[in-house]
Every structure is written in structure tokens, then in C-alpha cells.
Amino acid sequence: MRPLPYDQKQLLRRELEDRAAALRLDTLREREESAEYPGLVGEAPDDADRAAASAIRDLNHAEMARTLAELRAIERTLLQLERDDFGRCIDCGDGIAFARLRLNPTARRCTDCQRRRERLYADRDRPAAAAEERL
């Protein structure tokens, strides 16, 4: 496989940098919102208020973790973008279609290998599936 042309790499770079900037802004907003949560409960919260505040805080933490994971993937991709082997599948070594990279610039597998991986590991993280396997 030939390396991606310069113009395609530059397009991906701009899109990744724009997405990273948007995620950083989201992270700042999420931090500001989480600082406001104690005020939502008030001075004398009851059990329902505490539960609601806890649920909001947990949801915010999950969103923050997802955002940070995406930022890490973007940063990794930006570093790899300079290498000649960027755009190659980590499983089979074939090229990842540029259309796929446009949709998901952090993709590390070609469509066929990604489908295969999803079929193989689809139930791995589902507790019910794991429990069924033990029976």
C-alpha cells in the first residue's frame, strides 16, 4: 500500500485538530457544570436530592471519561499521521479506505478486520453473556 497523499493527510490533520479543540471546550464546560452540582442539592438535601445529584455527577464523570478517551485517540492519531504506514490496518496490513478514515480518522483497522473483531468480541464485556458462558 502506498502512503496516503499529503493533501489527504493534511485534511485529516485539520479535522482531527478541529475535533480536539471542540472536545477541549466540552471538557471545560463539563468541569464548570460539575462545579455547579453541589448548588443544585441545596443546604439540607433529602435522600432524593442526594440521589439525583449523585446520578448527575456519575453521568458527568462518564461523559468526561469518554471525552478524554477520544482526545487520547486523536492525539495518538496525530502522532501516527506523520508515519508512512499511517492508514494501514493493524491486523492485516492492508490499507484503510480514505472514506473510512474521513468518517473515523482514529480507525486502526480496515472495515473487514473491524467487523471480524466486533463479531469475535461482541459479547465479551456484557455481564449477561459472560454469565451464560459459565453455565
Side-chain angles (χ1 to χ4, degrees), residues 6 40 91:
Y6 177 80
L40 292 174
D91 290 345

mmCIF file of all heavy atoms in Angstrom, residues 6 40 91:
data_model
loop_
_atom_site.group_PDB
_atom_site.id
_atom_site.type_symbol
_atom_site.label_atom_id
_atom_site.label_comp_id
_atom_site.label_asym_id
_atom_site.label_seq_id
_atom_site.Cartn_x
_atom_site.Cartn_y
_atom_site.Cartn_z
ATOM 1 N N TYR A 6 -0.230 13.571 0.622
ATOM 2 C CA TYR A 6 -0.047 14.697 1.535
ATOM 3 C C TYR A 6 -1.360 15.445 1.775
ATOM 4 O O TYR A 6 -1.691 15.776 2.913
ATOM 5 C CB TYR A 6 1.021 15.640 0.972
ATOM 6 C CG TYR A 6 1.240 16.865 1.802
ATOM 7 C CD1 TYR A 6 2.019 16.814 2.950
ATOM 8 C CD2 TYR A 6 0.652 18.082 1.449
ATOM 9 C CE1 TYR A 6 2.225 17.938 3.726
ATOM 10 C CE2 TYR A 6 0.842 19.208 2.220
ATOM 11 C CZ TYR A 6 1.627 19.140 3.356
ATOM 12 O OH TYR A 6 1.821 20.256 4.120
ATOM 13 N N LEU A 40 -27.072 22.580 43.271
ATOM 14 C CA LEU A 40 -28.370 22.027 42.878
ATOM 15 C C LEU A 40 -29.058 21.332 44.043
ATOM 16 O O LEU A 40 -30.283 21.304 44.132
ATOM 17 C CB LEU A 40 -28.205 21.017 41.732
ATOM 18 C CG LEU A 40 -27.772 21.555 40.393
ATOM 19 C CD1 LEU A 40 -27.524 20.405 39.423
ATOM 20 C CD2 LEU A 40 -28.811 22.501 39.829
ATOM 21 N N ASP A 91 -4.254 -5.154 11.888
ATOM 22 C CA ASP A 91 -4.422 -6.607 11.870
ATOM 23 C C ASP A 91 -3.886 -7.245 10.597
ATOM 24 O O ASP A 91 -3.082 -8.174 10.656
ATOM 25 C CB ASP A 91 -5.894 -6.989 12.056
ATOM 26 C CG ASP A 91 -6.407 -6.714 13.459
ATOM 27 O OD1 ASP A 91 -5.578 -6.491 14.370
ATOM 28 O OD2 ASP A 91 -7.630 -6.706 13.646
#
